[in-house]
Structures are given as C-alpha cells and as structure tokens.
Amino acid sequence: MEKNVEIGKRIKKRREELGMTQEALGSPLGFNKSTIQRYEAGKVAKIKLPILEAMAQQLNVSPEWLALKSDDVGEYHGAPDNLPETKVSSNVAAVLPQEKIHMIPVFNSVAAGFGAYASSDIVEYIPLYIENDFDVEDTICITVRGQSMYPKIEDGDRIVVRRQECVDNGRIAVVMIGDDAVVKRVNFDGERLELTSFNPEYPPRILQGAELANVKIVGLVQQVIKAL
C-alpha cells in the first residue's frame, strides 16, 4: 500500500499543478470524484497498468514517473494530442460496479491491435465494463475502416475484441491472412473456410487447401461501439 500512497501523491500533485478538479480528471476515465479521491489517498489496493497509462495521458506526464519507475515527470507521448476524448456518462459509471470498469486500449487499425505492437500504437484508453477479470488482459478496442460489414459495423465504428485463436461458426472474428487483418463472419467445415461480409456488395472469400496455412483467427468480436 505504501507504493500506492506515493503514486496517489503524484497524481494529486500533478492534478493540482494543472488546476484540474478531481471531476475533470475522472470524467474521461469513467471515474467519479470519490474514485479519484481513493486513488489519490492510496486506498486502491491494486492499480492496473492501463489505468496508470490513461491517467498519465490525462495529466500529460510520463507513465514511468507516475508508476514510480522514474523521477523525471516528462510528458505523455503514447498518443497524439489531437485525438478526441472518449467519455462515459457519470450516471452510467455510478450504476456499474467501479471494480468492473477497466481502461481498455484503443488501436486505429486491426493490424496494429494484433501485431507486435508498442505503446505508441495505442491511440487512447476508454473505460469498459468487463464482468470477468480474467478477460481484461485479452480485451482490446479497434477502430474499423471500410464498409464491408455495413450495416452492422460501419466505417469509424469501434469493435471490442477478445484475443482468442478459435471461434464458433457464425461468429464475427478478426482473422489474419498473412499480414492482412480482416473482420468477417466465420464458417469452417474442417477443410474450407468461408469469410462473409454483411454488405452484399462484398462477395464471400473462400480459403481452402494450402491457403489455410496462412490463415489465423486472432480474436472474437464481442461488441460494437457506434461512431457518433
């Protein structure tokens, strides 16, 4: 707990330097004022790294400094400064259990989300309710480009994806075909893989035989967050 107290002091010190209220810090993270108070008082027993990263982004400090791994305050370089903030209604956050709201990384492409990515590939973090704590580490959010899955998934929508190597037939999955990544409905009969788009203007893609050696399912699409 002593480490968390020191982290809390740094959060409070930097927030006050910026003239930022606890509400202003907490809102983009999906936290209310009382939750920020708990962090600053060192009363949160286990601070998750994605939350530290997200706080560092809001406070414009080095995540290493906030995590007590450096004495250099630095600046946050994990995401471009001109990205829009993603906020969750304080009413929603108040209803959901705070311990089940986790900060999830957002990637600007499917390939970035499933490659050997660095922290610079993460454009921001958004709060998501995840019931099972074991799913948190394997959950990411990706901004979709293109209209092949219209109208279910449109250009600019975000998908919540759980990393896994197999899915049931009929489910929407993220599939790597060589270095290319696609989001499609999957059907596999043991010899033939059919990747289907929702948009009828895009014909199904059939892969079989030697082609299957270059194909890998890497994630299950669990949720669509519509762009406004």
Side-chain angles (χ1 to χ4, degrees), residues 86-99:
T86 300
K87 299 185 179 182
V88 169
S89 165
S90 59
N91 291 332
V92 174
V95 172
L96 296 175
Q98 289 292 322
E99 67 273 11

Side-chain angles (χ1 to χ4, degrees), residues 71-145:
D71 291 328
D72 181 13
V73 176
E75 295 181 351
Y76 183 82
H77 296 295
D81 293 334
N82 60 352
L83 286 169
E85 293 182 348
T86 300
K87 299 185 179 182
V88 169
S89 165
S90 59
N91 291 332
V92 174
V95 172
L96 296 175
Q98 289 292 322
E99 67 273 11
K100 296 296 183 181
I101 297 177
H102 303 273
M103 301 306 296
I104 301 302
V106 178
F107 297 87
N108 242 355
S109 71
V110 178
F114 287 91
Y117 62 84
S119 61
S120 59
D121 294 318
I122 301 172
V123 297
E124 66 174 316
Y125 287 82
I126 62 172
L128 285 179
Y129 177 83
I130 300 178
E131 178 65 33
N132 191 337
D133 291 343
F134 293 104
D135 290 336
V136 175
E137 186 175 350
D138 290 323
T139 300
I140 64 175
C141 194
I142 298 170
T143 301
V144 175
R145 302 300 175 191

Side-chain angles (χ1 to χ4, degrees), residues 40-56:
E40 291 185 347
K43 293 182 179 179
V44 177
K46 185 178 181 181
I47 303 178
K48 296 180 174 64
L49 288 179
I51 292 178
L52 272 181
E53 178 97 14
M55 283 192 175

